[in-house]
Amino acid sequence: MNILINASNLKLGGGIQVADSIIAQLSAYPMHNFTVVYSDYLQDSIGRLLPATNIRTVNYNIKNTIATIVFGRDRFLDRLVEEQNIDCVLTIFGPSRWNPKCRHVSGFAMAHLVLPESPYFKMLHGIDKIKSISRLMLIERAFKNSTKYFYTENPFISELLQKKWPGKCIRTISNYYNQIFDSPGKWIKYGLPSFEGITLLTIAANYPHKNLGIAIDIAHILKVRYPDFKFRFVMTVDKSQIIIPDNLSGNFELIGKIDIAQCPSLYSQADISFIPSLLECFSATYPEAMKMGIPIVTTDLEFAHGLCGDSALYYSSLDANQAAERIYSLASDPLLRNKLISNGKEKLLSFDNTERRMSKLIGYCEDIVKNH
C-alpha cells in the first residue's frame, strides 16, 4: 500500500512530538511505501531518519489559500497523490485544510471544539471572544470537509466527538512519550543554571489555552506566603512571550523552543512537572513526566483526571492560590512525591506505547482502503 504521511501543517506543540515518533517508526513497515510530507519545523526529525528504500521525504508547508479554504484543494499535494499512486493519506493532526482524492485518516486534537464548558472560554471577552468563535467555526468546517475518518488520543474526547459528528468514523489511538526517552544515548544535554531549590518544569508552546501566565500569580503568592521557599519555573517559551516582573526574575527561566532530544535532560533537572493547561485532548507531557519519575501538578479538569488518575495533584484551574498551595505541599512532602511517581509508573501501562500506536494507525489505513 502507498501511504502519504501528511505533516505539512504542523508548526508547534505536541503535533511535532507525535510526528517525530511516527516518522521514526516507518522503517518497521517495509511492506508499505511511504511519502512523508513534512513542514520546516520537522527538519530535525527528518535528519534522524535512516535511509530506507520504502520512504520518500518531501519538504512542503501547506498555506491557507482560497483553493484550500473553500475547495479543500492543494495543487502540490494533489499532484503527489497522483504521481505516487497514493492509496491513503494519514494527516497526523488536522485540520489538514486539504481533502485528498483518496482515503484519508486525520488525527483530531482540537479540544476547543468538544469542550465548550472549559474555563478557557470564560477568560475570553469582547473582540477576543468573537475572534475565537469565528476561528473555531472555520476550523470545524475544515475538519468536517476533509475526511470521514478520524482518530483521537483520548476515549473521553472520542465519545464527545462521536456525539458531535455522528456520521464520522472515530477511533481512539492514544499518545505516549516519544521513543527518544527510551534511548539515553540519543539524549542531548540541556544545562540549566545551577539552582538550590525546587524546579518546576513546563514543556509547552505558549498557546492561550495552556494558561502559562498563571505561573506569575503563583510565584507572587509563594514568595509572600513562604518567603524561605526557593523555587523556579522553567518554561520552553521565549522571553518575549511572557513578561516576568523584575521582582520575580530569579524565579523564572524562559529557555525558548527546544529539540525533542533535549526534553529528557530537562526532566532530569526538574522536581515537579507543572501543567496548567485548560484544554487538552492529550498532552505528551503527562506520560513524559511519568516516564522520568517526576510528580505532576495540573488542573482539576476531566481531561487531566482521565489521563493522570491518581498520579497527579490537582488544583482548581484558574485558582492561583490553590495552585501555590498544591506546589508547596508537594515540594514539602517526599512521601507524597514518591506516591505520585509510583502511581505514574502504573498509569503509563494504560497508554498505547509508540509501537502499538503506530500499529493501530497503519491498521486504520489498511482497514479503510480494504473495507470502505
Side-chain angles (χ1 to χ4, degrees):
M1 189 166 68
N2 298 322
I3 302 175
L4 188 150
I5 306 296
N6 178 29
S8 64
N9 60 332
L10 298 181
K11 295 181 179 180
L12 294 170
I16 297 294
Q17 179 266 347
V18 175
D20 180 274
S21 178
I22 287 173
I23 290 168
Q25 294 179 81
L26 295 179
S27 59
Y29 294 86
M31 71 290 294
H32 298 306
N33 297 308
F34 297 98
T35 298
V36 181
V37 184
Y38 65 96
S39 71
D40 290 343
Y41 300 87
L42 281 160
Q43 294 281 4
D44 291 339
S45 302
I46 296 299
R48 289 191 290 266
L49 183 62
L50 297 176
T53 57
N54 67 321
I55 302 173
R56 179 190 181 202
T57 60
V58 180
N59 181 214
Y60 180 67
N61 300 276
I62 193 169
K63 297 177 177 62
N64 285 324
T65 66
I66 295 298
T68 58
I69 294 173
V70 178
F71 303 108
R73 300 268 53 85
D74 183 278
R75 186 178 300 175
F76 180 84
L77 295 175
D78 284 339
R79 187 169 64 246
L80 265 183
V81 167
E82 184 176 354
E83 291 174 352
Q84 301 300 313
N85 194 25
I86 299 298
D87 299 298
C88 184
V89 170
L90 171 61
T91 293
I92 294 174
F93 287 114
S96 63
R97 305 191 292 275
W98 169 49
N99 185 4
K101 295 180 179 180
C102 63
R103 301 303 184 194
H104 182 202
V105 174
S106 175
F108 177 91
M110 196 67 187
H112 302 63
L113 294 180
V114 292
L115 295 173
E117 301 304 316
S118 167
Y120 164 72
F121 295 107
K122 298 174 183 176
M123 298 169 59
L124 299 177
H125 302 283
I127 191 66
D128 288 337
K129 190 166 188 176
I130 294 172
K131 286 181 179 178
S132 176
I133 292 172
S134 300
R135 176 174 172 268
L136 291 178
M137 289 174 63
L138 290 173
I139 289 173
E140 180 166 2
R141 182 182 183 277
F143 264 121
K144 292 176 70 175
N145 291 346
S146 67
T147 185
K148 178 182 177 181
Y149 306 97
F150 292 94
Y151 73 91
T152 86
E153 300 173 311
N154 187 331
F156 169 60
I157 297 297
S158 291
E159 183 179 342
L160 294 176
L161 190 60
Q162 193 70 76
K163 290 179 181 178
K164 185 176 183 67
W165 297 339
K168 302 292 187 180
C169 296
I170 297 163
R171 294 187 185 183
T172 303
I173 303 173
S174 79
N175 199 344
Y176 202 54
Y177 59 78
N178 187 279
Q179 59 264 46
I180 195 76
F181 283 82
D182 289 323
S183 303
K186 298 180 181 179
W187 295 358
I188 299 174
K189 182 173 176 55
Y190 191 105
L192 292 171
S194 59
F195 182 74
E196 294 295 329
I198 296 296
T199 294
L200 298 112
L201 176 64
T202 303
I203 296 180
N206 190 33
Y207 293 122
H209 69 274
K210 297 292 186 179
N211 198 31
L212 302 185
I214 194 174
I216 296 175
D217 296 330
I218 294 170
H220 276 302
I221 294 165
L222 287 172
K223 284 181 74 75
V224 171
R225 195 169 296 171
Y226 306 105
D228 295 329
F229 179 47
K230 294 180 173 59
F231 67 93
R232 66 175 173 180
F233 289 90
V234 175
M235 296 183 166
T236 56
V237 299
D238 293 330
K239 294 179 180 178
S240 61
Q241 293 179 306
I242 300 179
I243 306 303
I244 306 300
D246 290 342
N247 68 317
L248 296 178
S249 60
N251 299 103
F252 283 85
E253 292 285 344
L254 306 184
I255 63 176
K257 184 177 180 292
I258 60 167
D259 187 275
I260 292 169
Q262 294 174 306
C263 290
S265 175
L266 285 175
Y267 280 108
S268 68
Q269 299 170 78
D271 302 288
I272 295 171
S273 179
F274 175 61
I275 307 172
S277 183
L278 303 176
L279 269 175
E280 297 290 349
C281 289
F282 193 102
S283 174
T285 51
Y286 290 126
E288 287 171 1
M290 294 172 191
K291 166 65 178 176
M292 296 299 293
I294 307 298
I296 298 165
V297 174
T298 191
T299 47
D300 190 10
L301 295 170
E302 191 166 1
F303 72 81
H305 279 276
L307 295 173
C308 296
D310 58 0
S311 64
L313 207 58
Y314 302 94
Y315 68 91
S316 183
S317 56
L318 299 179
D319 190 340
N321 277 288
Q322 191 176 94
E325 288 302 318
R326 295 290 189 268
I327 288 169
Y328 183 77
S329 65
L330 183 57
S332 306
D333 189 342
L335 291 178
L336 177 58
R337 291 201 301 273
N338 290 336
K339 180 182 179 181
L340 295 182
I341 291 168
S342 177
N343 291 344
K345 298 294 185 184
E346 290 294 320
K347 184 64 179 175
L348 267 181
L349 301 176
S350 69
F351 300 129
D352 289 325
N353 63 22
T354 52
E355 290 79 14
R356 284 199 302 270
R357 175 179 62 191
M358 191 64 185
S359 177
K360 288 183 177 182
L361 287 172
I362 296 297
Y364 199 179
C365 293
E366 291 171 339
D367 286 349
I368 68 169
V369 169
K370 179 181 179 181
N371 300 320
H372 296 270

